[in-house]
Amino acid sequence: MFQAVQAPKNISTVQMHRRTVKKPRLDICKLPERKLIKNLRFGRAKLRYIASLVKDDLRPKRNTNFALNLEQRVCVCLRILTSGSFQDVVGDAYGCSKQSVSNYFERFLDAMLRHVHEIIRFPLDDYEWLHEQSGAFEYRGGQKGLFGCIGAVDGTHVYIIKPNEDGDCYYSKGGKKTSMNIQITSGHDQRILDVCARNPGGNHDSFVFKTSGLFDRLEAAAEDRKWSFYVIGDKGYATSKLLVSPLRQPSNPRESSFNESLTKMRIVVEQAIGGVKQKFRAMHNTGGTLCYSPEKVSKIAVVACMLHNIRQFDEYGKNNEETDDSSDSEVENSDSESNSETSDDEDGISFRQSLIDGMH
């Protein structure tokens, strides 16, 4: 019924060629400047700067017609952070596979982290800078005599899937969701000075501070006789000579005025956290739960804070935030005050009282 088809005698081998199908690819680099800032939070100049930081790790190893170039790979990685989308969704939009996007993103994070100390700095040995910071915070507080504040500390939660190892310690706020507790320290101008991103959500903010590298650095700096500086936090932090928090129950108008001044000074870190989460939606709960390991979420949090500083400041420290059509930076509502009570240090209580007595 069926007859075999014989190949021509003059052909010994028949070669079959697979047809390569290219996914439709959006060339983001050709978008107008305004749309670049809206989608990626950066204009061309700063995109080129970010590309220069990661070029050794992210540049294509060979030239092909189908590989994304360096700038396109940077745009793909930034889109993951700014949208909070899954990697396969971003890959479909930019014409590359989920595996390629995952590879680019991992290399991008590691490459950025090699420059973390260039972009996130807290120069505790620069007394000129410390006095400038302290004066700016005193002015913001509206009370003369509150000199010495050099930064505001607060914690924020980034929600993640429950890790297989020690998953229960990641539950936060009533044990309903698992998260990472990210400690951020901000200057008077919302520049992020320090990030601690290694703690599970179950750790109290005060514990996170006392086990952070910042606490060790402040303790070492305080051994200098000329040292007269401190950072501030909310009521969830225990008061000490290194970190001053508001009084839980002010008993007179002077103490109430002190609390109001600390609130005015401390709002900068809430604005900084709100700015990071608004611009980089992977950090925000509206971006959904991050489906990464705690180690990778830690990297994402630090890189998002680095990008916040790059976005708002130039290499000379001047504020030059690139604006888009979205709303202004939202203020992060701190939830640390609702955590368990912390015990204030006696020396810290005396130090705080000296600040209250010195107000005029």
Side-chain angles (χ1 to χ4, degrees):
M1 187 175 182
F2 295 100
Q3 294 182 349
V5 177
Q6 294 183 351
K9 295 181 179 180
N10 60 338
I11 298 179
S12 59
T13 304
V14 178
Q15 294 181 346
M16 301 296 293
H17 295 281
R18 257 189 332 188
R19 184 180 176 186
T20 302
V21 179
K22 288 180 66 177
K23 293 183 179 181
R25 179 172 293 168
L26 173 65
D27 192 351
I28 193 75
C29 300
K30 294 182 179 179
L31 290 177
E33 182 85 358
R34 189 173 180 180
K35 202 161 186 178
L36 276 177
I37 295 174
K38 181 179 180 180
N39 291 339
L40 302 176
R41 310 300 189 234
F42 298 96
R44 278 190 176 77
K46 289 197 174 180
L47 283 175
R48 283 194 287 267
Y49 169 69
I50 294 170
S52 72
L53 297 178
V54 300
K55 63 182 180 181
D56 293 335
D57 297 81
L58 214 59
R59 177 178 286 155
K61 296 180 180 179
R62 57 183 180 179
N63 294 324
T64 67
N65 293 329
F66 307 114
L68 297 180
N69 60 36
L70 172 62
E71 289 75 16
Q72 289 170 329
R73 294 182 181 192
V74 169
C75 291
V76 166
C77 297
L78 289 176
R79 191 59 182 154
I80 295 173
L81 293 171
T82 59
S83 67
S85 297
F86 290 107
Q87 293 180 358
D88 53 349
V89 175
V90 175
D92 288 341
Y94 292 94
C96 52
S97 68
K98 177 182 176 181
Q99 184 178 1
S100 295
V101 173
S102 178
N103 180 268
Y104 299 156
F105 192 47
E106 186 69 34
R107 287 155 59 188
F108 175 81
L109 294 175
D110 290 338
M112 287 294 295
L113 288 173
R114 293 191 184 95
H115 301 276
V116 62
H117 297 298
E118 302 168 20
I119 297 167
I120 298 178
R121 302 188 300 270
F122 202 165
L124 298 179
D125 55 349
D126 187 343
Y127 278 86
E128 183 180 350
W129 180 87
L130 292 172
H131 280 279
E132 180 184 336
Q133 280 285 313
S134 181
F137 269 110
E138 183 182 26
Y139 178 79
R140 176 176 285 275
Q143 283 282 359
K144 291 185 177 180
L146 283 180
F147 189 82
C149 175
I150 54 173
V153 179
D154 203 1
T156 186
H157 288 266
V158 176
Y159 295 106
I160 64 173
I161 57 172
K162 182 180 178 180
N164 293 327
E165 187 175 344
D166 299 325
D168 289 343
C169 67
Y170 287 86
Y171 281 106
S172 60
K173 293 195 303 180
K176 293 183 179 180
K177 292 184 178 181
T178 49
S179 66
M180 297 283 291
N181 190 350
I182 313 298
Q183 175 183 282
I184 291 178
T185 307
S186 167
H188 73 92
D189 52 2
Q190 300 180 36
R191 175 192 291 274
I192 293 177
L193 306 174
D194 185 82
V195 184
C196 180
R198 63 172 182 261
N199 283 270
N203 285 357
H204 189 277
D205 284 357
S206 192
F207 173 83
V208 173
F209 174 70
K210 288 185 177 179
T211 57
S212 67
L214 175 61
F215 180 84
D216 294 336
R217 292 183 62 204
L218 288 170
E219 227 180 12
E223 295 177 0
D224 190 334
R225 290 183 179 181
K226 296 188 295 181
W227 183 264
S228 58
F229 304 102
Y230 56 90
V231 295
I232 57 175
D234 60 27
K235 294 177 183 178
Y237 291 93
T239 286
S240 68
K241 295 188 73 173
L242 300 178
L243 186 149
V244 176
S245 59
L247 293 101
R248 292 187 178 86
Q249 294 180 337
S251 58
N252 55 60
R254 193 174 187 84
E255 291 181 350
S256 297
S257 179
F258 172 80
N259 276 8
E260 290 174 8
S261 294
L262 245 61
T263 299
K264 293 177 183 177
M265 296 159 67
R266 191 176 55 81
I267 197 173
V268 293
V269 68
E270 296 179 354
Q271 291 171 334
I273 293 172
V276 172
K277 288 194 167 187
Q278 184 195 33
K279 302 303 181 185
F280 304 100
R281 304 304 286 188
M283 294 278 288
H284 199 278
N285 56 10
T286 56
T289 300
L290 289 179
C291 301
Y292 301 112
S293 67
E295 293 76 19
K296 191 161 186 176
V297 173
S298 176
K299 292 180 182 180
I300 290 172
V302 175
V303 170
C305 291
M306 293 172 66
L307 293 171
H308 165 83
N309 280 1
I310 292 173
R311 185 177 184 275
Q312 292 206 186
F313 303 92
D314 61 22
E315 59 183 313
Y316 304 106
K318 185 178 178 182
N319 194 325
N320 64 342
E321 180 179 5
E322 294 172 315
T323 57
D324 54 31
D325 295 330
S326 58
S327 59
D328 293 334
S329 295
E330 58 192 40
V331 175
E332 170 78 4
N333 290 323
S334 175
D335 49 39
S336 60
E337 295 185 27
S338 62
N339 290 334
S340 58
E341 288 290 320
T342 56
S343 55
D344 294 334
D345 180 82
E346 290 186 6
D347 290 338
I349 294 173
S350 299
F351 178 66
R352 180 174 61 190
Q353 188 60 47
S354 69
L355 292 175
I356 296 172
D357 295 338
M359 292 192 313
H360 55 276

